[in-house]
Amino acid sequence: MGDAAAISEHLEACFRLVHTERMDGVPILNDALEVRAVGTHAWNGFWLSILITPWFINVVLLPQEPDGEAIRTGEKRMFGFPAGSFEFIRGHEHDLGAFWMCSLFSPVFEFADIETAEAAAHAALTELFDAEEENTEADRDMQTIWRGEWPDAETDVQE
């Protein structure tokens, strides 16, 4: 799979199968929505897409090359974007392989139709790649902690 359109189609086909085989009759489904991959593009060795389903809207990262990492499904990892760092969880689907996902909405009952869900997906994608306009000291300290480092104590002391 080498282009964004093929990746989107593959992602959609996989989650349509999940929808019909495993989600049928689950009460959290919003029947006004369908499976769609929005804004798929290459990013930092991954294919990034906003995936809309009748049960969630997630940011999905698929490795561009099989990563071969021995990471269990359910493991968590932080990914940094211009808008900040966000926690992703490892997933796996037989037809897709391993991927990372970050929940934006779940469930998705607030969306009356697929057009509204797509607009939200496009807005989320735009926000993800917008740099934070104001990064407060507390935000910087929290980002440092998320990276597994301690904030510089000397800069926190006010005399």
Side-chain angles (χ1 to χ4, degrees):
M1 285 185 282
D3 71 16
I7 297 300
S8 291
E9 289 174 20
H10 190 64
L11 185 58
E12 289 173 354
C14 178
F15 277 87
R16 281 188 193 107
L17 194 61
V18 170
H19 183 211
T20 58
E21 291 185 353
R22 298 193 311 236
M23 298 300 291
D24 188 41
V26 175
I28 64 166
L29 297 179
N30 179 344
D31 293 330
L33 302 184
E34 59 192 60
V35 176
R36 291 249 176 104
V38 175
T40 304
H41 66 280
W43 176 79
N44 286 355
F46 293 93
W47 289 103
L48 183 148
S49 189
I50 306 294
L51 181 62
I52 300 169
T53 73
W55 62 98
F56 68 64
I57 299 177
N58 286 353
V59 180
V60 175
L61 296 174
L62 294 167
Q64 288 180 324
E65 299 293 327
D67 60 20
E69 291 184 72
I71 301 173
R72 292 182 317 208
T73 297
E75 292 283 326
K76 295 178 181 176
R77 176 177 166 190
M78 299 300 290
F79 283 88
F81 293 87
S85 293
F86 300 93
E87 184 177 73
F88 283 68
I89 188 167
R90 182 77 157 196
H92 186 277
E93 289 295 332
H94 176 72
D95 293 335
L96 194 60
F99 56 92
W100 294 95
M101 61 187 159
C102 177
S103 180
L104 298 175
F105 299 94
S106 182
V108 288
F109 293 125
E110 61 267 39
F111 298 99
D113 52 45
I114 189 66
E115 293 79 17
T116 306
E118 282 186 337
H122 284 291
L125 194 56
T126 298
E127 289 298 317
L128 193 59
F129 287 96
D130 276 350
E132 290 181 308
E133 291 189 20
E134 190 172 312
N135 195 4
T136 67
E137 188 173 321
D139 291 335
R140 285 190 303 276
D141 286 350
M142 186 53 72
Q143 289 172 358
T144 301
I145 292 168
W146 278 115
R147 286 192 309 267
E149 303 166 3
W150 289 107
D152 186 4
E154 290 180 19
T155 60
D156 292 341
V157 177
Q158 305 224 349
E159 296 184 32

